[in-house]
Amino acid sequence: MANKSAPDASRRSERSRRAIFDAALTLVGEVGYEKLTIEGIASRAGVGKQTIYRWWPSKAAVLLDAFTAGVDEDYEKGLPNTGDLAADLKFVLRATVDEFNDPAFQAPYRALAAAGAGDEELSRSFVGRLLEPGTLVYVERLRAAQEAGQVADDIDVRLATEMLLSPFSQRWLMRTGELTHEFVDTLVDQVLRGLRPRD
Amino acid sequence: MANKSAPDASRRSERSRRAIFDAALTLVGEVGYEKLTIEGIASRAGVGKQTIYRWWPSKAAVLLDAFTAGVDEDYEKGLPNTGDLAADLKFVLRATVDEFNDPAFQAPYRALAAAGAGDEELSRSFVGRLLEPGTLVYVERLRAAQEAGQVADDIDVRLATEMLLSPFSQRWLMRTGELTHEFVDTLVDQVLRGLRPRD
């Protein structure tokens, strides 16, 4: 039997889900992770808090879903592979610089990273759901370059990825330096210099 | 006029100062930065809270002095320079691995780093007083190697230092990987590979 109300209900659910994600991301950027509450998210999203509790067990679960909703698609696509490793890495890292210099993007991300630094369980989810998939797309791009003979066989590509991404993350999280296109360009060149096959 | 009570008073002050530092470091590791209070530190140190307020304006100031009291001397000495850059870096980073795997050392440090990620003013002090001096000893060691012809002239030694230290900090702070002697050995070798002068 066709249930005429199902498509409408599904559209309403999707609208509520998006409203809850937007509210969670905005609020955590405004008040920080500690002071974020399910009640606050429900009120900002214009839904009842039971709606949230029906779908998620905790504020951490809402927030992680809200973050990954935006990035899962990017991770599936992987990094561009034009055959020019340096150009591909600079292209993606320059876009990432622009993203992290955008206050609307970075406030919720920072709140989650700061809370994760002090809270081991949250940090495991944060790493597993966000940081690790984000790292793996770089590992895969470097492995493709290694298979193409552009990166030496004895290079640990996981560690090479950390040499590339960690200086970025550290500058951003600890505010130890500026994030600019020039910074990532120099970083890419200096990291790749050590990865090339010896003649 | 000699003041007979001065040496005793000075010894008492030094004892109180040490007790306050120990209490601050232990407590922040136990309760986190948010819940750390001057009252709590005073009570744990067995001093009146006015004693603390006489010397420091805030809990952040006490904590930063407590941390730097232990490391200023290390920073003044700089890194060893035996002429073998790889060996010197591995020696120091292996010792740092042992330090960061020690719960008593890492709990207060993590509390401060986590609080600094979310609090810009605290983070500026944390970086200026602790992270930056700790980074500069590596920059200086790499610069000495550059002057000795072991590192190419066109290498940005500041960025090379970040390639070396940020993967370490990131693994520790975000718990994205193990900190082992093997990790730092491979990291040193892989970073240095890219720094050598081209033949």
Side-chain angles (χ1 to χ4, degrees):
Chain A
M1 284 276 188
N3 178 348
K4 279 186 130 184
S5 77
D8 279 355
S10 158
R11 262 199 298 276
R12 270 201 307 276
S13 289
E14 183 51 29
R15 259 205 313 274
S16 298
R17 201 171 145 272
R18 297 240 151 241
I20 290 163
F21 286 170
D22 287 347
L25 292 174
T26 309
L27 265 179
V28 75
E30 286 173 15
V31 304
Y33 182 77
E34 285 298 319
K35 290 183 185 142
L36 183 73
T37 60
I38 295 280
E39 287 75 5
I41 298 171
S43 154
R44 179 71 67 104
V47 303
K49 68 180 181 176
Q50 285 316 316
T51 304
I52 299 184
Y53 280 122
R54 200 178 324 139
W55 292 332
W56 294 280
S58 66
K59 67 179 180 181
V62 180
L63 209 53
L64 284 164
D65 276 356
F67 268 101
T68 49
V71 296
D72 277 349
E73 209 176 309
D74 288 346
Y75 292 162
E76 274 165 37
K77 277 191 301 185
L79 292 201
N81 186 345
T82 66
D84 183 339
L85 179 60
D88 292 346
L89 294 176
K90 286 176 188 174
F91 175 80
V92 177
L93 285 171
R94 281 172 169 226
T96 312
V97 162
D98 296 342
E99 221 171 36
F100 277 79
N101 283 328
D102 171 1
F105 173 88
Q106 73 123 24
Y109 207 85
R110 178 178 296 282
L112 195 58
D119 176 337
E120 185 158 356
E121 197 183 320
L122 179 65
S123 142
R124 300 266 171 225
S125 306
F126 180 59
V127 169
R129 294 279 302 275
L130 274 168
L131 287 190
E132 186 61 19
T135 301
L136 283 181
V137 296
Y138 285 86
V139 171
E140 280 157 24
R141 181 65 189 85
L142 285 177
R143 194 161 286 142
Q146 196 170 41
E147 280 158 15
Q150 295 159 355
V151 165
D153 285 338
D154 59 342
I155 288 295
D156 179 334
V157 291
R158 169 80 204 199
L159 202 56
T161 303
E162 293 182 42
M163 285 159 57
L164 194 63
L165 298 184
S166 296
F168 185 112
S169 306
Q170 180 83 355
R171 278 194 178 205
W172 173 69
L173 190 62
M174 295 284 124
R175 302 184 187 80
T176 47
E178 297 283 297
L179 292 183
T180 63
H181 288 189
E182 196 195 352
F183 159 64
V184 291
D185 284 359
T186 313
L187 182 62
V188 167
D189 288 336
Q190 201 155 294
V191 170
L192 291 189
R193 186 185 157 121
L195 306 187
R196 295 197 191 96
R198 295 184 179 90
D199 300 322
Chain B
M1 285 274 188
N3 178 348
K4 280 186 130 184
S5 77
D8 279 354
S10 158
R11 261 199 298 277
R12 268 200 309 275
S13 289
E14 183 52 28
R15 259 204 314 273
S16 298
R17 201 171 145 271
R18 297 240 151 239
I20 290 163
F21 286 171
D22 287 346
L25 292 174
T26 309
L27 264 179
V28 76
E30 286 173 13
V31 305
Y33 182 76
E34 286 297 319
K35 291 184 185 142
L36 184 73
T37 60
I38 295 279
E39 287 75 6
I41 299 170
S43 154
R44 180 71 66 104
V47 304
K49 67 180 182 176
Q50 285 315 317
T51 304
I52 300 184
Y53 280 122
R54 198 178 324 138
W55 290 334
W56 295 279
S58 65
K59 66 180 182 181
V62 180
L63 209 52
L64 284 164
D65 276 357
F67 268 102
T68 49
V71 296
D72 276 350
E73 208 176 309
D74 288 345
Y75 291 162
E76 272 164 39
K77 277 191 302 185
L79 293 202
N81 187 345
T82 65
D84 182 339
L85 179 59
D88 291 346
L89 294 175
K90 287 174 189 176
F91 175 80
V92 177
L93 284 171
R94 282 172 169 226
T96 312
V97 162
D98 297 342
E99 219 171 39
F100 277 78
N101 283 329
D102 171 2
F105 173 87
Q106 73 123 23
Y109 208 85
R110 177 178 295 282
L112 194 59
D119 175 337
E120 185 157 355
E121 196 182 321
L122 179 64
S123 142
R124 300 264 171 229
S125 306
F126 180 58
V127 169
R129 294 279 303 275
L130 273 168
L131 288 190
E132 187 60 19
T135 302
L136 283 180
V137 295
Y138 285 86
V139 171
E140 279 156 24
R141 181 64 189 84
L142 285 178
R143 193 160 287 140
Q146 197 170 41
E147 280 158 16
Q150 295 158 354
V151 165
D153 285 338
D154 59 342
I155 288 294
D156 179 333
V157 290
R158 169 81 204 196
L159 202 56
T161 303
E162 294 183 40
M163 286 159 56
L164 194 64
L165 298 184
S166 297
F168 185 112
S169 306
Q170 180 82 356
R171 278 193 177 205
W172 173 70
L173 190 62
M174 294 284 124
R175 303 182 185 82
T176 47
E178 298 282 296
L179 292 183
T180 62
H181 288 189
E182 195 194 353
F183 159 65
V184 292
D185 284 358
T186 313
L187 182 63
V188 167
D189 288 334
Q190 202 156 293
V191 169
L192 291 189
R193 186 185 158 122
L195 306 187
R196 295 197 191 96
R198 294 183 180 91
D199 300 321

